[in-house]
Amino acid sequence: KLILATQLLLKVMSKTGELNDAEAEYLISGRSSMNPPPWTAKVQEFLTAKQWANACALKEIDVYKNITEDLELATDAWSEWLEYERPEVEELPGEWDKRLNPFQKLLILRALRQDRVTTALTAFITEKLGQRYTQQEPFDMDDTFNDSSSKQPLFFVLFPGVDPGVAIERLGAKLGFTQDKGNYVSISMGQGQEKNAENTIDRFSRDGGWVFLQNIHLMSTWLPTLDRKLEIVAEGGHEDFRAFLSAEPPPMLLEHEMQTVPEGVLQASIKVANEPPTDLKATLRGSYALFDQETLDRSTKPKAHRPIIFTLAFFHSLVLGRRKFGFQGFSRNYPFNNGDITVCADVLHNYVEGRDNLPWEDLKYIWGEIMYGGHITDSWDRRCMSAYLEVLLVDELVDEKSDFELAPGFRPLLEGDFVAYRAYIEDAMPSESPVLFGLHPNAEIG
């Protein structure tokens, strides 16, 4: 989404005459000089060879023609600026802050602090075009379902950490399609499930019902049969029939050779790509959206239940967000998903309602060792998971007199309804930084 928003921004700025072509090219390519001139020992103390080569390429643009000389002369000022945790919100050294416009300042970051470009670019797009172009709204199954019909299946592209099954079951319960009533069937596709899937499609297309066929990419030889079945349903199926399909995308390098899903299925379906966001705020927004006001109202102990539910959503967001740091996040790529957080919420409800005291140790063990920990195979990753819970699940979390913080600059909200908590995420969440994950500010440099 950020790439598309950036393309749109550059097009708008080009139309209004605000864009210099050379500057736009540098932002996109981030060129480095192939043969940078020698650099002084002073500069070597705070710049890498890559940063120096980037600066030498940047000076080819007229407004930056003195950048390398200034780096050599004002070493203390530039060294201090480069050490800032969030340099994009700090003033540039010397006259550069007054000389450059906001877009041109992005190029300084592109050359010298590439780890902060995404955050700075997001803020710039928000200022120029509006928040709707950068803010990823939580996935809404209700809106998606309204676009479907008995003739158009919903095809979910699977991404790590995203499981559409929970949202489908929740919507089905609301609309009267459940496994208990016999009008909703979920089938995890694999060897021997072909006949079961065909019979279910035939029955529901005749009588009405929902069928969810998971991981259909595993059944490449059977998919032409599915394609034909869906064509027949489209010609005269029951109006209450719905087919939900899910499949993983093929590896990017092999996507042309591995088109396992027939073109007819893809063309007839509404494609849903609920790709998980990469920033913590959007991830927390989506994690908390897995609950609703009914989830909060179920508890008879709201003063404890509501802040812990919010903390659970924050913990889930931290776990998912660590992926973007590669091996600094976790040593392996674990399949944490929405089912983990929703089951943990049910466990929380049962334990809080059934005990007089808050069962912190029980929650830490069930969440960290069983639910989330059940995915983990590396002892150091398990230790990291346990450390998060040791910090987050403490008595101070529900103590209004405490100055406890979930992360630096982000305190828990102790009371309020579902809407208030969602608004709190938008208003109180600090700017994106590795520090929010408990990592060093330089963790994004890689």
Side-chain angles (χ1 to χ4, degrees), residues 114 182 320 389:
Q114 292 189 359
L320 295 182
L389 294 173

Side-chain angles (χ1 to χ4, degrees), residues 115 119 147 183 198 219 227 286 318 366 379 407 413-414 422:
D115 58 305
T119 302
D147 293 331
N183 57 2
E198 291 174 26
M219 310 292 292
D227 188 10
L318 291 174
I366 294 173
S379 60
L413 182 63
L414 299 184
R422 291 192 64 176

